[in-house]
Amino acid sequence: IFESGINNIDIFFNIASMQEMTQQTIDSYFAWMRSQKSESTYFYCCNRVSKTLPDGETLEFEKYGWRESDKISFDELCPWYKGSPMNRPPFWKKFDGDVWHRLSELR
């Protein structure tokens, strides 16, 4: 999608998948989002505060690719994303770490 020529997206959403990427991939996403030609580009991100990948790389929400110049609308522990459904009892699995969410205008 980075090479698709799409360059006028106003808002991006990411829920739980950045915590599955490497930092290098996250950096590529941020570069692509910041390259948009829209008047303003917003990013809603909801991911774990910290997660260690199977290869040992530890990802931290605060180090994803934010800038001090980004205009943050809210930035807090996520009150609604605390677990996921399962197909066997107890039918709900709580996440093993805190989840943070942020809405930011990327600048």
Side-chain angles (χ1 to χ4, degrees), residues 5-17:
I6 298 173
N7 64 358
N8 61 350
I9 299 171
D10 296 326
I11 189 164
F12 292 87
F13 294 89
N14 183 279
I15 300 172
S17 66

Side-chain angles (χ1 to χ4, degrees), residues 23 50-53 55-60:
Q23 185 63 52
S50 179
K51 183 175 180 185
T52 301
L53 300 177
D55 70 356
E57 180 180 6
T58 299
L59 301 171
E60 295 179 29

Side-chain angles (χ1 to χ4, degrees), residues 14 16-30 45-66 96-100:
N14 183 279
S17 66
M18 283 200 162
Q19 65 195 26
E20 305 300 329
M21 302 175 191
T22 65
Q23 185 63 52
Q24 182 178 4
T25 301
I26 292 170
D27 292 344
S28 294
Y29 270 92
F30 268 86
C45 186
C46 179
N47 284 269
R48 291 192 197 182
V49 171
S50 179
K51 183 175 180 185
T52 301
L53 300 177
D55 70 356
E57 180 180 6
T58 299
L59 301 171
E60 295 179 29
F61 188 97
E62 279 301 317
K63 295 181 180 176
Y64 277 1
W66 312 104
D96 61 356
D98 290 331
V99 176
W100 199 261

Side-chain angles (χ1 to χ4, degrees), residues 65-76:
W66 312 104
R67 292 181 182 164
E68 286 187 35
S69 58
D70 293 341
K71 183 178 178 187
I72 297 172
S73 296
F74 61 83
D75 189 32
E76 63 191 9

